[in-house]
Amino acid sequence: MNKVIHINLGGMPFIIDEDAYEALRDYLAAIHSHFRNSEGYEEITADIEARLAELFRESMGHRQIVTMKDVQEAIRIMGTPEVFEAEGESAAEGDAAPSGKQDAGAQPRWRTGRRLFRDPDDQVLGGVCSGLAAYLGIEDPIWVRLAFVLFTLSGGFGIPLYIILWIIVPEAKTASDRLAMRGEPINVSNIGKIIEEEMSQLSKRVSEFAEELGKEDWGGKKKSGRQRA
Amino acid sequence: MKIENAIAQMRKGVLELCILGIISKGEAYPSDIIRSLKEAKLIVVEGTLYPLLTRLKNAGLLDYTWRESTSGPPRKYYHITPKGREFLNQLLLNWNGLVHAVEESTRHLQQTTSDNE
């Protein structure tokens, strides 16, 4: 199951999966920040949005909902700001930062500080410790976990503290949450990286699940993996 | 100096000429323009084209009309203006001069390569 979101893209209404929405939003943010200081900024971005809407319509066919695949395909056709810079715009025009050299200037230039999330990819219980480790910049969450255990054993209130954090700290659900958790800048290439990681994890889970099915053919039950549209 | 950069610069230089050339054949929708440019390996992604079209339009070399589309909102179809045609002719003249210059300055190389074959 997946939550969906209603959007208006280039004057057309779409129903879009939440993860696909996040990816699209981040992509458009990168596009807008790339063209912000270009002549005709509004027209360029409106043209791009209208064309993305059209690409979605084409790749959806009779489906009702825009999925991550549709977004990825549209981004592949439209390209990222890094590619525009390489093949289209001459260095003399358009670009916002005169200080930005080829490589540095190609990245959208906003950066988020780290935010505290629970890390669903690396969890023993609720992912609190690995999220804390990412927040504090500690490479291996084992140290945070050990600290929690020691704290509890030495008579501290480690267990209630963990439970409170579990409740109040949100889980890093989307690609941009995960980037914010690690303190990486949110841009299209990073989002792409996260999505790729997610896809490979998903396929790993599927093959593990398939293996397990093979082993326990006589009715071993396993909780089914997250279902995706 | 990287060969990729040098090639990219050459391609960028002729992009405007090619876009004007394609549109001078008749009204064109951006994705049709893209198809021709992709075949010629001049650009790979569509996003490159939109800022260029806007710039050429703002310079008065192109204009567009809105046309209803069967699948969705109206589309912008671009056509060349008289000013754009004049501009294109000037570019072409210069291009022919450049082709000539390149041929002249590399003739001996081209002869050697064909000798080797």
Side-chain angles (χ1 to χ4, degrees):
Chain A
M1 197 187 71
N2 229 333
K3 214 162 99 184
V4 296
I5 289 167
H6 289 257
I7 57 166
N8 167 358
L9 181 68
M12 289 173 88
F14 285 98
I15 304 173
I16 181 167
D17 274 337
E18 193 179 19
D19 55 347
Y21 166 76
E22 300 275 347
L24 177 65
R25 188 197 56 195
D26 294 331
Y27 174 70
L28 285 177
I31 293 278
H32 279 258
S33 96
H34 177 75
F35 288 120
R36 180 133 294 142
N37 295 299
S38 302
E39 178 201 345
Y41 155 69
E42 277 175 17
E43 189 168 7
I44 296 169
T45 47
D47 283 350
I48 288 178
E49 287 184 13
R51 178 65 181 149
L52 285 173
E54 217 172 59
L55 288 172
F56 286 166
R57 273 288 147 90
E58 282 169 18
S59 74
M60 281 162 71
H62 293 292
R63 276 183 292 127
Q64 300 287 315
I65 293 172
V66 183
T67 64
M68 185 61 106
K69 261 206 164 132
D70 298 319
V71 173
Q72 282 173 328
E73 176 62 12
I75 291 178
R76 194 185 61 74
I77 292 171
M78 188 58 76
T80 58
E82 289 90 329
V83 184
F84 305 162
E85 203 131 319
E87 66 178 19
E89 295 152 65
S90 50
E93 61 92 36
D95 205 21
S99 60
K101 293 274 177 273
Q102 278 292 3
D103 48 351
Q107 299 282 329
R109 288 161 221 92
W110 80 97
R111 174 174 251 280
T112 49
R114 284 197 180 127
R115 283 172 59 199
L116 184 56
F117 281 105
R118 289 183 290 114
D119 186 351
D121 297 330
D122 185 6
Q123 55 182 188
V124 176
L125 290 170
V128 170
C129 289
S130 52
L132 262 178
Y135 184 71
L136 299 171
I138 300 167
E139 262 183 37
D140 196 334
I142 187 81
W143 301 114
V144 182
R145 291 189 181 122
L146 265 178
F148 254 99
V149 170
L150 287 177
F151 190 46
T152 308
L153 291 180
S154 64
F157 42 90
I159 293 172
L161 180 66
Y162 190 96
I163 292 171
I164 290 169
L165 284 173
W166 196 344
I167 295 167
I168 62 171
V169 175
E171 189 183 342
K173 282 187 187 139
T174 66
S176 46
D177 285 351
R178 269 167 233 188
L179 288 171
M181 179 177 75
R182 297 182 206 163
E184 288 178 40
I186 298 176
N187 60 35
V188 173
S189 42
N190 271 338
I191 297 272
K193 203 169 72 189
I194 292 270
I195 290 167
E196 257 166 46
E197 275 172 25
E198 215 164 301
M199 288 292 167
S200 69
Q201 272 177 5
L202 192 73
S203 62
K204 212 169 77 188
R205 270 203 296 260
V206 168
S207 58
E208 277 170 9
F209 183 55
E211 242 168 58
E212 207 133 324
L213 275 183
K215 261 187 263 171
E216 315 177 31
D217 230 3
W218 50 87
K221 260 193 189 165
K222 188 180 189 295
K223 61 174 181 177
S224 64
R226 257 198 303 170
Q227 210 185 327
R228 280 179 171 259
Chain B
M1 187 162 178
K2 277 190 191 158
I3 184 71
E4 291 85 12
N5 290 349
I7 293 171
Q9 289 301 327
M10 284 169 77
R11 284 191 180 143
K12 280 181 192 179
V14 295
L15 208 46
E16 281 161 348
L17 169 57
C18 292
I19 291 172
L20 286 172
I22 291 166
I23 297 175
S24 73
K25 282 187 275 186
E27 259 194 343
Y29 184 62
S31 65
D32 302 326
I33 305 171
I34 287 278
R35 202 166 306 127
S36 315
L37 292 173
K38 269 187 187 165
E39 277 165 20
K41 296 216 168 72
L42 273 170
I43 59 175
V44 186
V45 296
E46 293 200 5
T48 312
L49 186 64
Y50 293 98
L52 281 170
L53 286 175
T54 303
R55 197 145 48 87
L56 292 172
K57 188 217 53 170
N58 288 344
L61 306 178
L62 294 179
D63 205 355
Y64 61 78
T65 32
W66 290 100
R67 296 215 183 283
E68 291 300 324
S69 127
T70 47
S71 62
R75 294 167 147 196
K76 274 180 186 172
Y77 279 81
Y78 284 87
H79 57 263
I80 197 161
T81 61
K83 193 178 165 194
R85 209 168 274 283
E86 180 57 31
F87 193 86
L88 176 60
N89 286 337
Q90 292 293 322
L91 282 181
L92 267 179
L93 272 177
N94 269 282
W95 173 249
N96 292 334
L98 276 176
V99 170
H100 184 68
V102 172
E103 271 173 5
E104 280 297 307
S105 48
T106 58
R107 174 169 296 153
H108 57 291
L109 293 170
Q110 280 162 4
Q111 269 168 358
T112 12
T113 40
S114 52
D115 286 348
N116 289 345
E117 277 165 8

